Amino acid sequence: MSRPHGIPLPSARRSSDSNETESACADDRQGQPRPREGVRQLTGAERVRTLVESNASVSLTLIGARDAHASEEFGTGMPVARTVTPDGDVILLVSGESAAARAAAHAQDDDLTAVIEITDVAPVSVPHRIRGRAWLAGWLTPVRGDDRAVCAALLAERQPVGELLGLVESQDAPHSGRPAWMLLRLEVGEVSVDDLWGAEHVDPDDLAAAEPDPLVGHEAELLQHLHAAHGDRLGGLSGLLGPREADGMRAVPLALDRLGLRVRFTDSPAGSFDARFDFPEPVADVCGLRRAMRTLFSAASH
């Protein structure tokens, strides 16, 4: 099956939200700091792949589909879990009672286009808390036959969920006339990301080849720990930025990946700004991160 093309993605600059849910792509004039050029960063494909594999909020919308009990285009709610296959398809676990499951079951061979929207929110309280959004558009179909066991195992490996323990069996067991859970496959045709690094389109083949950041499963807990237990030391990192008016500034850890730490400094006379602190070398796990953080804090104290 060829990949779908021409599926409209939401505008990277669109946002119907306000205050807490500002668009992450807002530029400096709107208050969202941007990193300086030349800083090491994950590729767009790696950032999207990391968002898919993270616990960030996700919604699924069927483009042009109509629910039997509604007269408008509808969103299908939040999948319980998701992951990416080696071929770059996104596997979603949804309730068998969901609109997505019903629509996919009745679509047969018809094209059922859908858009996944992932919203990434910083796990600590900070101004402009939305860190990014990603959109993946493509064709949605049920996972059938022998592929169900393979995809269920992949999903359980990447995002363990209690309901997955009996997934294959529950799909064959009647539950109000429908399976309790359904696995859906989104064959990705278009990808867009708009985050703290900027807005860009991502080639679906690059997404298939990308790996999620190794810290994705630990980032929220690590940032919360840094914020709660090491606020003073985070503030001390401002000494690595050169001459600045540091009095009264508040340092909040905003994002973390294998390449470095991003800190948002607030309450500065110049307003909020972000600083990215690169690690001496990419870290592969939490142990490597601890060493990298010790190096940063040590450099700031001298």
Side-chain angles (χ1 to χ4, degrees):
M1 180 182 294
S2 61
R3 290 194 178 277
H5 295 283
I7 302 169
L9 286 171
S11 167
R13 298 282 174 178
R14 183 204 69 186
S15 177
S16 59
D17 307 322
S18 62
N19 298 327
E20 189 66 16
T21 54
E22 289 185 34
S23 171
C25 73
D27 59 25
D28 291 333
R29 291 173 299 173
Q30 295 169 297
Q32 183 70 273
R34 289 292 199 184
R36 69 185 188 276
E37 294 183 1
V39 177
R40 290 185 301 170
Q41 61 177 292
L42 305 183
T43 67
E46 289 173 327
R47 298 187 331 255
V48 173
R49 179 65 184 266
T50 298
L51 281 178
V52 174
E53 303 285 0
S54 74
N55 292 323
S57 174
V58 61
S59 64
L60 174 64
T61 299
L62 307 184
I63 303 300
R66 306 273 176 178
D67 191 17
H69 303 291
S71 59
E72 302 180 38
E73 180 177 292
F74 63 95
T76 65
M78 183 180 296
V80 175
R82 73 269 183 179
T83 192
V84 179
T85 71
D87 295 329
D89 297 336
V90 179
I91 302 301
L92 303 167
L93 176 65
V94 301
S95 166
E97 299 291 332
S98 67
R102 295 197 304 270
H106 290 95
Q108 300 299 327
D109 294 328
D110 294 336
D111 294 346
L112 183 60
T113 57
V115 175
I116 298 171
E117 179 173 347
I118 304 172
T119 302
D120 181 31
V121 181
V124 294
S125 180
V126 64
H128 311 294
R129 197 168 177 178
I130 298 291
R131 301 189 300 186
R133 287 188 174 92
W135 297 269
L136 302 94
W139 289 333
L140 193 68
T141 57
V143 178
R144 297 186 173 96
D146 295 339
D147 285 345
R148 289 190 300 180
V150 174
C151 290
L154 178 63
L155 196 60
E157 175 187 348
R158 300 282 177 80
Q159 294 195 18
V161 179
E163 292 87 349
L164 287 173
L165 298 177
L167 174 62
V168 177
E169 292 78 5
S170 69
Q171 286 185 338
D172 296 322
H175 178 73
S176 300
R178 295 189 181 93
W181 300 102
M182 179 177 285
L183 281 175
L184 301 178
R185 181 195 307 273
L186 183 78
E187 185 181 2
V188 179
E190 294 188 34
V191 185
S192 179
V193 62
D194 179 16
D195 60 11
L196 296 168
W197 298 105
E200 63 181 284
H201 289 279
V202 174
D203 190 299
D205 291 333
D206 292 339
L207 177 67
E211 291 290 335
D213 188 80
L215 299 180
V216 61
H218 308 283
E219 189 207 17
E221 180 182 359
L222 291 168
L223 290 177
Q224 289 167 351
H225 172 73
L226 284 171
H227 183 53
H230 301 288
D232 291 344
R233 303 185 78 180
L234 287 172
L237 293 177
S238 63
L240 299 174
L241 303 176
R244 277 188 185 269
E245 178 57 62
D247 290 342
M249 283 198 310
R250 175 172 173 258
V252 181
L254 183 66
L256 181 66
D257 57 54
R258 70 177 185 273
L259 299 178
L261 170 70
R262 182 181 176 115
V263 177
R264 179 156 296 168
F265 291 91
T266 63
D267 302 326
S268 163
S272 297
F273 67 91
D274 281 14
R276 171 79 175 187
F277 300 94
D278 287 347
F279 298 142
E281 59 184 22
V283 301
D285 51 32
V286 175
C287 290
L289 174 66
R290 292 193 184 102
R291 291 192 294 270
M293 290 304 303
R294 284 197 295 267
T295 300
L296 276 182
F297 288 147
S298 176
S301 65
H302 290 87

